[in-house]
Amino acid sequence: TIEEIMRSNLTNDQYDAAVDDARHILCLACAGSGKSRTLAYKIAYLVSKGESPESIIAFTFTEKAAESIKRRVAEALHKFGLSENNIGAMFIGTLDSFCQKLLGDINARYRQYDILDQNRLILYVMSRLNKLGLSNGKGYFARIKELTEAWQTLNNENITLADIEQYDVDLYAKLTSLSTRLDADGYMDFSFAINLAVKELKKINCKEDSYIERFKSLVVDEYQDINPIQEEFIKTLASYLDMLFVVGDDDQSIYGWRGANVQNILSFKERYTNVSVHRLLVNFRSTKAIVETAN
């Protein structure tokens, strides 16, 4: 049976997390505790219970992590006697790429947009100095970098332009101009894409007949590394879904330099209703001496 297969492949704690049917589930997992295995069996378990693969979304921190999760889900499905082809119908990937795809479903014009990484965003601003109100004199590159960093901080930290205006009118004008020109020229960076996706989600009055109608379950890996705008997107999307399952380590937040906010995982129980909490506290990856030293 499915239960016997899961019992033989998961610890009791991992099993309890994988079969939990609560709407909001927080899984706190230390390093080497099998969180990826638990996450994969959670997804496979949903399929085994009759949930459509098309209704399942899983966010990973990197594309490499996404490929690893896909392999693990395929292994679990195979053990359950289910087709590994179900993987193709799910979305397992980064939140950034999901938002890009979602925006294309919302409005076909977004499919023509070119995504700029940090370096290409700097090059974009360099090519439009005068139009953005930047001078081409001494120290101009520092001013460009300051503007692009301000732009990404604005979006990543979920700050509005109106908030900027009351403190710095000049910066407000430059950021407003950058926003307008990016949209007119058919460009966006990942932070802006997520911001746009949040705004579009909040326009939905009824899930039925909307572009998110088919989605029911959302799984989020490395939740401790989520930044404010990503959390806003997750929370907004989850409000339309039947289940949100997040897994992460509240003692392992190392991406603060890129906007990650460990408070998202620490305050999860306060921000979501009827939260079910699971803890994976045994490290299977490291030797006994390493674990004892770390403890």
Side-chain angles (χ1 to χ4, degrees):
T1 65
I2 298 295
E3 180 180 355
E4 290 170 339
I5 294 168
M6 293 183 70
R7 288 286 189 187
S8 65
N9 285 274
L10 301 173
T11 67
N12 289 338
D13 291 335
Q14 292 168 350
Y15 173 85
D16 290 342
V19 301
D20 194 338
D21 61 357
R23 184 179 182 188
H24 300 129
I25 305 167
L26 170 63
C27 184
L28 298 172
C30 72
S33 61
K35 67 178 181 61
S36 296
R37 174 186 287 264
T38 305
L39 188 151
Y41 270 86
K42 179 70 176 179
I43 294 172
Y45 178 73
L46 291 172
V47 177
S48 76
K49 297 290 286 184
E51 185 159 329
S52 169
E54 291 88 352
S55 70
I56 299 171
I57 308 166
F59 292 150
T60 58
F61 197 60
T62 64
E63 291 295 348
K64 183 178 179 181
E67 292 305 313
S68 176
I69 294 296
K70 287 176 184 178
R71 287 194 299 271
R72 289 173 179 269
V73 174
E75 290 170 4
L77 288 170
H78 180 74
K79 288 178 180 178
F80 288 175
L82 301 171
S83 173
E84 294 97 320
N85 292 335
N86 285 310
I87 296 290
M90 306 172 188
F91 179 90
I92 302 177
T94 65
L95 190 152
D96 298 339
S97 58
F98 181 83
C99 285
Q100 188 179 3
K101 182 179 182 301
L102 184 66
L103 287 172
D105 293 339
I106 295 169
N107 192 324
R109 78 186 185 96
Y110 286 128
R111 296 174 191 168
Q112 310 302 320
Y113 276 52
D114 197 4
I115 297 291
L116 304 176
D117 61 21
Q118 189 169 12
N119 290 330
R120 292 185 66 201
L121 179 62
I122 290 173
L123 291 173
Y124 175 87
V125 174
M126 287 177 70
S127 67
R128 292 158 176 80
L129 280 179
N130 294 332
K131 294 178 180 179
L132 293 171
L134 295 173
S135 58
N136 189 13
K138 183 179 179 182
Y140 83 100
F141 185 74
R143 291 191 292 275
I144 290 172
K145 202 161 184 298
E146 286 174 357
L147 180 62
T148 56
E149 288 176 352
W151 170 254
Q152 291 180 317
T153 299
L154 173 82
N155 289 302
N156 285 332
E157 297 292 333
N158 198 22
I159 301 168
T160 67
L161 283 168
D163 293 331
I164 301 294
E165 185 178 20
Q166 61 178 317
Y167 294 107
D168 192 327
V169 176
D170 182 58
L171 179 59
Y172 164 79
K174 288 183 172 64
L175 290 173
T176 301
S177 178
L178 178 58
S179 175
T180 301
R181 294 197 173 279
L182 282 169
D183 187 51
D185 293 340
Y187 290 106
M188 66 173 72
D189 65 334
F190 284 124
S191 64
F192 189 45
I194 300 173
N195 209 322
L196 277 176
V198 169
K199 291 175 182 176
E200 293 292 346
L201 282 179
K202 290 184 175 181
K203 294 177 183 177
I204 299 175
N205 293 318
C206 180
K207 182 184 175 185
E208 285 67 32
D209 298 322
S210 74
Y211 40 82
I212 62 167
E213 180 180 15
R214 70 181 185 274
F215 300 126
K216 290 185 177 181
S217 299
L218 173 59
V219 176
V220 183
D221 191 19
E222 303 291 3
Y223 186 69
Q224 77 279 352
D225 293 325
I226 295 297
N227 67 31
I229 191 60
Q230 291 171 331
E231 166 57 19
E232 186 69 14
F233 179 82
I234 290 168
K235 188 174 183 180
T236 306
L237 178 60
S239 68
Y240 299 104
L241 307 182
D242 298 338
M243 188 208 71
L244 170 64
F245 179 92
V246 303
V247 59
D249 186 352
D250 53 348
D251 279 333
Q252 186 179 299
S253 181
I254 61 175
Y255 285 95
W257 57 274
R258 58 178 291 175
N261 186 356
V262 73
Q263 286 301 318
N264 287 323
I265 196 169
L266 294 177
S267 62
F268 187 85
K269 288 187 291 184
E270 285 72 49
R271 291 180 294 106
Y272 291 86
T273 58
N274 302 319
V275 176
S276 180
V277 181
H278 298 270
R279 291 177 173 84
L280 309 182
L281 303 178
V282 181
N283 183 324
F284 299 102
R285 181 189 305 154
S286 304
T287 64
K288 186 172 182 287
I290 290 175
V291 172
E292 289 178 351
T293 303
N295 286 338

